[in-house]
Every structure is written in C-alpha cells, then in structure tokens.
Amino acid sequence: MGGRDARSVSRRQALRLGGTGLGLVLLGAGAWGCSPDDPEAPDAGSTPGGKGADESFVTPPPGRAPKPLWQAVTGNDSLSSASALAVTGGLALVAGDPLVAHDLVTGREKWSRKGVTTPGAGLLLGGGTLYLASAEYDGDVVGLDPRSGKETWRSRIGKEYDQPRPIAADDRHVYVLAGILEKDFSTPNNVIAAIDTASGKVVWRERRDAGTEEHGITAQVADGRLVYTDYRRNVTVRDTVTGRQLWTKKLKNSNWEQFAVHKGLVIVAEGRRLRAFALDGGAERWTLDTGDFTSFNGPRVLDGVLYVSDRLHGMWAVEPESGKVVWRNQDLLEKAAYAWQFTKAGDTVYAASELDDKGGIHAFDAATGKLRWTYNDGSGDIQRWYVVGGGKRLAVLHAERLYALPAV
C-alpha cells in the first residue's frame, strides 16, 4: 500500500493498447448535419482515426446541428453513473468494461483496461489521477494515470470495511465511503474517510449517522469542505482536514443528482425549489420556485451562471449569488426529455438530455437562451446522453457510442 511511486503496482500493463481497428472516417471541419426530425440525419456508422486537427469549425445555419467529427463504439452500459464520461489531457474517458480512452482530436483509442473496476463505477478525477474501486472487491481503491491507463496508486481504509468506493477527490485526498462489517457480514452502518493521495494512509475516518445509506451519494470538494447529498434527503458538509461534520440539512425531497457549489454557496434542487445555503454554517441565502407544477433537476454553475432544467423540459439560467432568473427557455416542451448535464464553450451552453429517443445534445445561446440546434444520432436508443467539453470540441456519449462534435 502506498503513494503514486509504488512501482510494483505501476508495472501492471494496460490491456489492449492501440487502435480498435475501427478504421477512419473524418467528416471534416465545418460540416453540419440535420435536425433530429430530418430523415437525412447522419448515421452512426462513421468511425475514428485521422491525423492532427483542424479547429476552424464553421458555425452551422440556425436549426442545423453539426455532424460528428468522428464516432467510436465503447463498452459503456446502462449501469454507468452520472460520471460515465470525462475529458482530461485531450482524452475522452468512457466508463465500462473495458474502460477506454480516446484521443479527442482523432478519435483513436489511446488505451483500454478490462476488469479494472466494479460495474457501474463512475470516473473520478483528482490531482491528475483517476480513482476507482478495485474490480477484485478486495477493499482496495486504485488510481490510474489517465494518460496511459496504468495503475500508479493503491490503498485501502481497513479490512473491517466493505466495498469502499471513492466519492470525491482533490489534490490532497481521495474521499471514500464504505460499509462497516458486522460479525454476520451485514453493513447496517457506514463510514466516510479521507486517504492521503501522496502516502496512501488514512487521514481521518468518520462514522456516519445511524440510518444513513451507502448508496445515492453525490459529492464535491470546494474551499476546504466536502459537500454531499444522499437518498435520505440530506445535504451535509464536512471539514476536509479533520472530517468533522459542520452541518447537515434535511430536504423535503430526495436529492442524489448533481448540485452546485459557488462562491460560498451550496445550491441544491428540492422539488419545485432551488435552495442556496451558506457553505459555512448552512444558513439559507435564497430560494427560487418554478412557478409551475414541475420540479427542478440538478443545477450546475458555468462561467458564473447557474444552469438548471425542470421536469417540463424547461431550461433556466440563474444568477447564483441572488437566485434571480436571467432567462428561461421552453422550446423543448414537446420535443425531448429534460436536460440533465451541461457544459459551455464560447457563447453557447450545451445540454445533454435524459432518457428519450428524440433527445440528444441541445445548444443554447448563453446570452438569450435561444435554442440554436439539437444533435441526435438517429439510433432510437433511449439511454441518457452525456456531454463534456474539451476546448473547441465536445465529447458526447450515447449508449455505447462515443462522438466528438465541434463546439459551434
């Protein structure tokens, strides 16, 4: 057990290095496609490859989505969590078995690791390392170099804990949740712990309140605080140095989706309301109501603006410091499922839709909220979409298909 320089561990070679033999079809910079309802929408048969990149993308006409720059097939499945897709160092990482990394420019597979983590595990990046629960169910947490896929780190919080899994990470710690094993091997209680990413040693370990569950946890680290929500309708804040619980609030609705932490505020969706709490102390700062018979989904702050959708497929832009609405768009009311994941490039906000064959990736004007275009691959698959920005490109995941779209 130890830190990043544990050489005996890092000698484990990544499996199936190199390309997948999928071939090469580049659709060309500046190409644009069709709307989801157009029968000539691009098919999903194009495959990755190519050399270098031409980033001089041309803005498509209004209502016309761009074509993918490349496409690839991955091992992602319906078990994947909200963090099934990540972009780092010019690579698009996709959870699944195998866990794979594709060059975001060319689409070529850079590395692949089979049997490296548990089914449904999300991609957790912190301090330049990808943290995962060990596939051997041996109580270990492993760290991979996202550039090569090679294991560089391994640790555990103790033999008396069951199925530990990382929930958040920063430059100093990886934060782990695990069940406390009883004599009959049941786990009615659980702990949250911090492991030092340099030494691999446990820094602190705190038992959570009785009745809390091991699942349904969504967590973030910000300003020396570990913030998480859970199935039990709680939002909780701990000190990252000591693990001490600073405050917890009971919500009226379960919240295990994403939440936002911005400039000393924790912003969560609670049914028809968005609620902002002070990161220090938990005092409520503002509340925003939908005004309709609908509920908010998980929010995200991008470039100082909070973006959130509602269950009637509305899209909102809100000032995170005050809760004041900047704009509200309802163009998707009769067209697709609500958006659940957001990224931003230039003056456009991109949103990935939930489970709907007419959904896809929606592009909104960041200033006005006007819907510019929607990309749909025409597959008819109802699995959720994912979108993560990477410079002038978007990594897009839908079922087992990975795409790169120009951020135009």
Side-chain angles (χ1 to χ4, degrees):
M1 307 306 172
R4 300 180 188 279
D5 57 351
R7 301 194 179 188
S8 61
V9 173
S10 64
R11 287 196 185 103
R12 298 186 181 187
Q13 298 300 311
L15 302 177
R16 296 205 303 127
L17 290 174
T20 60
L22 292 175
L24 162 62
V25 174
L26 281 181
L27 298 177
W32 52 77
C34 307
S35 68
D37 300 322
D38 195 316
E40 296 182 0
D43 63 40
S46 300
T47 49
K51 306 174 182 178
D54 180 358
E55 302 295 289
S56 302
F57 303 125
V58 177
T59 301
R64 307 284 284 188
K67 289 181 180 180
L69 301 168
W70 54 261
Q71 305 178 30
V73 177
T74 72
N76 180 57
D77 56 39
S78 59
L79 294 175
S80 295
S81 69
S83 53
L85 176 65
V87 171
T88 180
L91 298 177
L93 311 182
V94 181
D97 196 16
L99 174 67
V100 297
H102 286 263
D103 188 293
L104 190 54
V105 172
T106 67
R108 292 190 177 185
E109 186 180 287
K110 301 295 287 187
W111 56 263
S112 175
R113 290 289 307 271
K114 191 170 181 61
V116 73
T117 190
T118 55
L123 303 175
L124 177 60
L125 290 163
T129 298
L130 174 64
Y131 294 102
L132 302 160
S134 170
E136 284 82 19
Y137 295 94
D138 53 7
D140 285 2
V141 177
V142 299
L144 305 184
D145 180 349
R147 297 167 299 180
S148 65
K150 294 180 179 180
E151 186 175 311
T152 58
W153 188 91
R154 181 176 285 255
S155 186
R156 64 168 57 193
I157 65 170
K159 293 182 179 180
E160 64 271 34
Y161 302 100
D162 183 56
Q163 296 188 23
R165 63 187 183 281
I167 59 172
D170 55 27
D171 290 342
R172 298 179 58 191
H173 301 144
V174 57
Y175 303 91
V176 177
L177 187 71
I180 303 173
L181 280 169
E182 302 293 339
K183 291 182 179 180
D184 61 358
F185 298 103
S186 65
T187 55
N189 299 294
N190 59 90
V191 297
I192 202 162
I195 303 175
D196 186 280
T197 55
S199 67
K201 296 180 179 180
V202 176
V203 179
W204 52 259
R205 186 166 39 217
E206 292 290 321
R207 185 182 180 121
R208 297 179 68 215
D209 294 341
T212 56
E213 298 180 6
E214 298 175 55
H215 305 284
I217 303 290
T218 301
Q220 291 186 47
V221 183
D223 300 329
R225 301 290 184 261
L226 174 65
V227 188
Y228 55 93
T229 58
D230 59 40
Y231 278 143
R232 291 288 187 175
R233 304 179 183 179
N234 300 306
V235 55
T236 304
V237 175
R238 291 181 180 272
D239 182 90
T240 58
V241 175
T242 65
R244 183 171 63 91
Q245 181 171 300
L246 302 177
W247 59 268
T248 187
K249 295 280 186 181
K250 181 67 70 174
L251 304 174
K252 292 183 179 180
N253 299 80
S254 295
N255 188 321
W256 60 90
E257 299 177 315
Q258 67 186 6
F259 56 89
V261 181
H262 177 74
K263 291 188 176 180
L265 294 177
V266 179
I267 306 168
V268 299
E270 185 193 48
R272 293 178 55 175
R273 299 187 298 171
L274 281 181
R275 300 181 69 186
F277 302 100
L279 183 60
D280 290 329
E284 186 168 278
R285 297 303 188 199
W286 57 260
T287 300
L288 175 64
D289 194 286
T290 63
D292 294 318
F293 295 103
T294 186
S295 300
F296 281 115
N297 302 303
R300 186 175 182 189
V301 175
L302 301 168
D303 289 346
V305 179
L306 183 144
Y307 298 98
V308 66
S309 66
D310 62 49
R311 296 301 172 102
L312 289 180
H313 308 173
M315 177 77 173
W316 303 60
V318 177
E319 292 181 356
E321 292 90 347
S322 65
K324 179 181 178 181
V325 177
V326 179
W327 52 256
R328 182 182 182 186
N329 179 294
Q330 294 180 295
D331 290 344
L332 302 179
L333 181 60
E334 298 179 358
K335 297 183 67 174
Y338 60 81
W340 75 278
Q341 190 177 57
F342 314 104
T343 192
K344 187 174 183 288
D347 59 0
T348 304
V349 176
Y350 302 92
S353 72
E354 260 285 3
L355 314 177
D356 195 301
D357 60 354
K358 295 181 180 179
I361 305 301
H362 311 294
F364 297 90
D365 184 291
T368 66
K370 182 178 180 180
L371 179 64
R372 296 183 54 233
W373 50 258
T374 294
Y375 171 77
N376 185 289
D377 59 12
S379 67
D381 198 307
I382 64 169
Q383 288 194 39
R384 65 171 22 171
W385 290 76
Y386 299 80
V387 62
V388 180
K392 294 184 178 180
R393 293 166 182 254
L394 306 173
V396 172
L397 181 64
H398 185 216
E400 294 184 347
R401 301 173 185 86
L402 175 66
Y403 308 90
L405 292 179
V408 292

